[in-house]
Amino acid sequence: MFPQSPSIASASNVDILIVDDEPTNLRVLSTIVRSYGYQVRQAISGIVALRAVQIQPPDLILLDIMMPEMDGYRVCEQLKFNSETKDIPIIFLSSLVSGMDKAKAFQLGGADYITKPFQVEEVLVRIDYQLTLRTLQIQLQQKNNRLREQNERLKQEIEIRQQTEVELRRSEAQLQGRTQQLQQALDELKLAQTQLAQSEKMSSLGQIAAGIAHEINNPIGFIYGNLDYASEYMEALINIINLYNKYYPQPHPEIAKRIQVSELDFVLKDFPKVLKSMLVGAERIRDIVLSMRYFSGYDQAYAQQEDIHIGLDSTLIILQSRIKEQTNRVAIEVKKEYGEIPPVNCYSGRLNQVFMNLLSNAIDAIEEKLEVVEEPFHPIIKICTQLSNSSKQFQDKNTQWVEIRIADNGIGIAPQIQRSIFDPFFTTKPVGKGTGLGLFISYSIIVEQHNGQLQCNSEVGKGTEILIRLPIEVPQSLDVSTTRKVKIAPSSLSLESDIGEM
Ligand SMILES: Nc1ncnc2c1ncn2[C@@H]1O[C@H](COP(=O)(O)OP(=O)(O)OP(=O)(O)O)[C@@H](O)[C@H]1O
Ligand SMILES: [Mg+2]
C-alpha cells in the first residue's frame, strides 16, 4: 500500500480521471487504480475527457497521448489554458519513448510521464507522488492566501493608522495654528491696551495741561495787562516826586525822616527794575500757558497746517524742569538750528508726543552717561530742522520733506540692540522708569499716521541722532485709531550730520 497523501483523508476521496482510446487499457488501468481505493472515472477520448473535467474537475488525470481526433497534448493544452483546470496534475501515459515526446509533454505542463507498458507499482507511486505534490501545493496556496489576507488586513491597519496619524498631525497643526492665532490676538490685545493706556495718559495729561492753562490764563491776563498801567503810574509818581524834590528841597522834618527810612533814592531807582522783572516773569508765564495749550491739542481729529517749530518749543518748555540744572548735574544745553521750513500738514498733538518721547530719551541718555563717565562733559541736545527735496535713502525725488534731527551726546546705543529699539516693550531702563513704548509709538505716529520716516544713528559713548522726515503733504483722512502690526525701522543709517561734532 502506498502512503496516503497529506491533504486527502482517504484514497476514496480522490477522484482520478483516466483517459485512453483503447478500451482494454482503460479497463485494466481503471481496475488497478480502483483496487487501491481511488475513485475512478473513465474517458474514451480527449473530447469526453474535457467534458468530464468541465462537469467535475478531478484530483488527477492519467492521460494517453496517442488518440484519434484530439490527442493527449491538445487535451493537456486546453486544460492548462483554463484557469480553473490548469492546476490539475496530469500524468501522461504513452508508448512513445523518444526524448522529444517527453520534452513536449513537460513543456505543455504535464506533471509526469509514464511509458507503456507500465509497472503497476510505478504507476501507483507516481500517482501518489503527484497527489502529495498537489496536496502540498494546495496547502501552500491556502497558506499563501491566508498570508495574503493577513497582509491585506495589515495593510488596511497600516493605512488606517497612517490616516489617523495624518489626521492627528492635521489637528495638531490646526491646534498649533489656533494657539498661535490666540497668542497673536493676546499680544495684539496687550499692545492695544498699553497703547490705549498711553494715549489715555497723554490725553488726560493734555486735559490737565489745558485746564491749568485755562485757569492761569485769566489771572496772568490781569497781571500782564495791568503791568503797562502800573509802569505808567510809576513813571507819573516818580516824575511828581522828582518835581517835589526840585521845588521843595527842604521838606517837613517828618517827611524827611520818612524819606530816609524808606530809602527813597534806592526805591526810585529799583522800582522800574522790579516792574521790568515782573513783566519778564509774566511774559514767561504767558509763554508757558501758551505752550501748555498748544501741547494739549492732543486728540485733534484732522490734520492741520502746523508750524513744527512751535511744537518743538512747546515741548521744550514742558520739559524745562528736566533740562535745567539739577542738584546732581549741570544744565543741558539745548542748541536749536531751525531752518526755513513751511508749515506741515500734521496732527500736532501726536507730533508733540513724538518730540516728547525723543527729547525724554535724549535727556535719559545724557543722565545715564553722566552717571558712568569719569571726566565731566558738557551735555548738549541739538535740534535741527531743514527742508530737503529728496531723500537719499528713499530716492523719491518728487516729495519735499521736512527733516527734524534730535541729537544728544549721551550714552549711545550698542549696535546689537539698535535693531530692537523700535520694538514694543523693548527697554534697557529699570522697571518703572521705561515701558519701552516711546519709540514704538513714535514710529507708528511718524511712519503710519504721517507717511514719514524715522531713522536712528547712534554710536556708543558718542551719542544718538534720531531723524524724522515728514512729507509736506499728508492725506487728510488717515485712520489713526487702528493698532497696526509693528514694522521695524532700519536701525543704523548714514545720516548727514555727525553726532561727534556737537
Ligand atoms: N537717545 C537715546 N540714547 C540712547 N539710547 C536710547 C535713546 N533713545 C532710545 N534709546 C534706547 O531705546 C530703548 C527704547 O526706547 P523707548 O523710548 O522705546 O523706550 P524707553 O525710553 O525705554 O521707555 P518709555 O519711552 O516707554 O518710557 C531705550 O530703553 C534705550 O535703551
Ligand atoms: Mg522713551
Coordinates of all heavy atoms in Angstrom, one line a residue, residues 164-193:
T164 N -5.0 58.0 10.5 CA -5.2 58.5 11.8 C -4.1 59.5 12.2 O -4.3 60.5 12.7 CB -5.3 57.4 12.9 OG1 -5.9 56.3 12.3 CG2 -5.9 57.8 14.2
E165 N -2.8 59.0 11.8 CA -1.7 59.8 12.1 C -1.7 61.2 11.4 O -1.5 62.2 12.0 CB -0.4 59.1 11.7 CG 0.6 59.0 12.8 CD 1.8 58.1 12.4 OE1 2.6 58.6 11.6 OE2 1.8 56.9 12.8
V166 N -2.1 61.0 10.1 CA -2.2 62.3 9.3 C -3.3 63.2 9.9 O -3.0 64.4 10.1 CB -2.6 62.0 7.8 CG1 -3.0 63.2 7.1 CG2 -1.5 61.3 7.1
E167 N -4.4 62.6 10.3 CA -5.4 63.4 10.9 C -5.0 64.0 12.2 O -5.3 65.2 12.5 CB -6.7 62.6 11.1 CG -7.7 62.9 10.0 CD -8.7 61.8 9.7 OE1 -9.2 61.3 10.7 OE2 -9.0 61.5 8.6
L168 N -4.3 63.2 13.0 CA -3.7 63.7 14.2 C -2.8 64.9 14.0 O -2.9 65.9 14.7 CB -2.9 62.6 14.9 CG -3.6 61.9 16.1 CD1 -2.9 60.7 16.6 CD2 -3.7 62.9 17.3
R169 N -1.9 64.6 13.0 CA -1.0 65.7 12.7 C -1.7 67.0 12.3 O -1.4 68.1 12.6 CB 0.0 65.3 11.6 CG 1.4 65.3 12.2 CD 2.4 64.8 11.2 NE 2.7 63.4 11.3 CZ 2.7 62.6 10.2 NH1 2.6 63.0 9.0 NH2 3.0 61.3 10.4
R170 N -2.8 66.7 11.4 CA -3.5 67.9 10.9 C -4.2 68.6 12.1 O -4.1 69.8 12.2 CB -4.6 67.4 9.9 CG -5.1 68.6 9.1 CD -6.2 68.2 8.1 NE -5.7 67.1 7.2 CZ -6.5 66.1 6.8 NH1 -7.7 66.0 7.2 NH2 -6.0 65.2 5.9
S171 N -4.8 67.8 12.9 CA -5.5 68.5 14.0 C -4.5 69.1 15.0 O -4.8 70.2 15.6 CB -6.5 67.6 14.8 OG -5.8 66.6 15.4
E172 N -3.3 68.5 15.1 CA -2.3 69.1 15.9 C -1.8 70.4 15.3 O -1.7 71.4 16.0 CB -1.1 68.2 16.0 CG -0.3 68.3 17.3 CD 0.9 67.3 17.2 OE1 1.9 67.6 16.6 OE2 0.7 66.2 17.8
A173 N -1.7 70.4 14.0 CA -1.2 71.7 13.3 C -2.3 72.7 13.4 O -2.0 73.9 13.7 CB -1.0 71.4 11.8
Q174 N -3.6 72.2 13.3 CA -4.7 73.2 13.5 C -4.7 73.8 14.9 O -4.8 75.0 15.0 CB -6.0 72.5 13.3 CG -6.4 72.4 11.8 CD -7.7 71.6 11.6 OE1 -8.2 70.9 12.5 NE2 -8.3 71.7 10.4
L175 N -4.4 72.9 15.8 CA -4.4 73.4 17.2 C -3.3 74.4 17.4 O -3.4 75.4 18.1 CB -4.2 72.1 18.1 CG -4.7 72.3 19.5 CD1 -6.2 72.2 19.5 CD2 -4.2 71.2 20.4
Q176 N -2.1 74.0 16.8 CA -1.0 74.9 16.9 C -1.3 76.3 16.3 O -1.0 77.3 16.9 CB 0.2 74.3 16.2 CG 1.3 73.8 17.2 CD 2.5 73.2 16.5 OE1 2.6 73.3 15.3 NE2 3.3 72.5 17.2
G177 N -1.9 76.2 15.1 CA -2.3 77.4 14.4 C -3.2 78.2 15.2 O -3.0 79.5 15.4
R178 N -4.2 77.5 15.9 CA -5.2 78.2 16.7 C -4.5 78.9 17.9 O -4.7 80.0 18.2 CB -6.2 77.2 17.1 CG -7.4 77.7 17.8 CD -8.5 77.9 16.7 NE -9.6 78.7 17.4 CZ -9.7 80.0 17.3 NH1 -8.8 80.7 16.6 NH2 -10.6 80.7 17.9
T179 N -3.5 78.1 18.5 CA -2.8 78.6 19.7 C -2.0 79.8 19.3 O -2.0 80.8 20.0 CB -1.8 77.5 20.2 OG1 -2.5 76.3 20.3 CG2 -1.3 77.9 21.6
Q180 N -1.4 79.7 18.1 CA -0.6 80.9 17.6 C -1.5 82.1 17.4 O -1.2 83.2 17.8 CB 0.1 80.5 16.3 CG 1.5 80.1 16.5 CD 2.2 79.7 15.2 OE1 1.5 79.7 14.1 NE2 3.4 79.2 15.3
Q181 N -2.7 81.8 16.7 CA -3.6 82.9 16.5 C -4.0 83.5 17.8 O -4.0 84.8 17.9 CB -4.9 82.4 15.8 CG -4.7 82.3 14.3 CD -5.9 81.6 13.7 OE1 -6.9 81.2 14.4 NE2 -6.0 81.6 12.4
L182 N -4.3 82.7 18.8 CA -4.8 83.2 20.1 C -3.7 84.0 20.7 O -3.9 85.1 21.3 CB -5.2 82.0 21.0 CG -6.6 81.5 20.8 CD1 -6.8 80.2 21.6 CD2 -7.6 82.5 21.1
Q183 N -2.4 83.4 20.6 CA -1.3 84.1 21.2 C -1.1 85.5 20.6 O -0.9 86.5 21.3 CB 0.0 83.3 21.1 CG 1.2 83.8 21.8 CD 1.0 83.9 23.3 OE1 0.5 83.0 23.9 NE2 1.4 85.0 23.9
Q184 N -1.2 85.5 19.2 CA -1.1 86.7 18.5 C -2.1 87.7 18.9 O -1.9 88.9 19.1 CB -1.2 86.4 17.0 CG -0.5 87.5 16.1 CD -0.6 87.1 14.7 OE1 -0.6 85.9 14.3 NE2 -0.7 88.1 13.8
A185 N -3.4 87.2 19.0 CA -4.5 88.1 19.4 C -4.3 88.6 20.8 O -4.5 89.8 21.0 CB -5.8 87.3 19.3
L186 N -3.7 87.7 21.6 CA -3.5 88.2 23.0 C -2.4 89.3 23.0 O -2.5 90.3 23.7 CB -3.0 87.0 23.8 CG -3.0 87.2 25.3 CD1 -4.4 87.1 25.8 CD2 -2.2 86.1 26.0
D187 N -1.3 89.0 22.2 CA -0.2 90.0 22.1 C -0.8 91.3 21.6 O -0.4 92.4 22.1 CB 0.9 89.5 21.2 CG 1.7 88.4 21.8 OD1 1.5 88.2 23.1 OD2 2.4 87.7 21.1
E188 N -1.6 91.2 20.5 CA -2.1 92.5 20.0 C -3.0 93.2 20.9 O -3.0 94.4 21.0 CB -2.9 92.1 18.7 CG -1.9 92.0 17.5 CD -2.6 91.5 16.2 OE1 -3.9 91.5 16.2 OE2 -1.9 91.1 15.3
L189 N -3.8 92.4 21.7 CA -4.7 93.0 22.7 C -3.9 93.7 23.8 O -4.2 94.8 24.1 CB -5.5 91.9 23.3 CG -6.8 92.3 24.0 CD1 -7.8 92.7 23.0 CD2 -7.3 91.2 24.9
K190 N -2.8 93.0 24.2 CA -1.9 93.6 25.2 C -1.4 94.9 24.7 O -1.4 95.9 25.4 CB -0.8 92.7 25.6 CG -1.0 91.8 26.7 CD 0.3 91.2 27.2 CE 0.1 89.8 27.8 NZ 1.3 89.0 27.7
L191 N -0.9 94.9 23.5 CA -0.3 96.1 22.9 C -1.3 97.2 22.8 O -1.0 98.3 23.1 CB 0.3 95.7 21.5 CG 1.3 96.6 20.9 CD1 2.5 96.8 21.8 CD2 1.7 96.2 19.5
A192 N -2.5 96.8 22.3 CA -3.5 97.8 22.1 C -3.9 98.4 23.4 O -4.1 99.6 23.5 CB -4.8 97.2 21.4
Q193 N -4.0 97.5 24.4 CA -4.3 98.0 25.8 C -3.3 99.0 26.3 O -3.6 100.1 26.8 CB -4.3 96.8 26.7 CG -5.6 96.6 27.5 CD -5.5 95.3 28.3 OE1 -4.5 94.7 28.4 NE2 -6.6 95.0 28.8

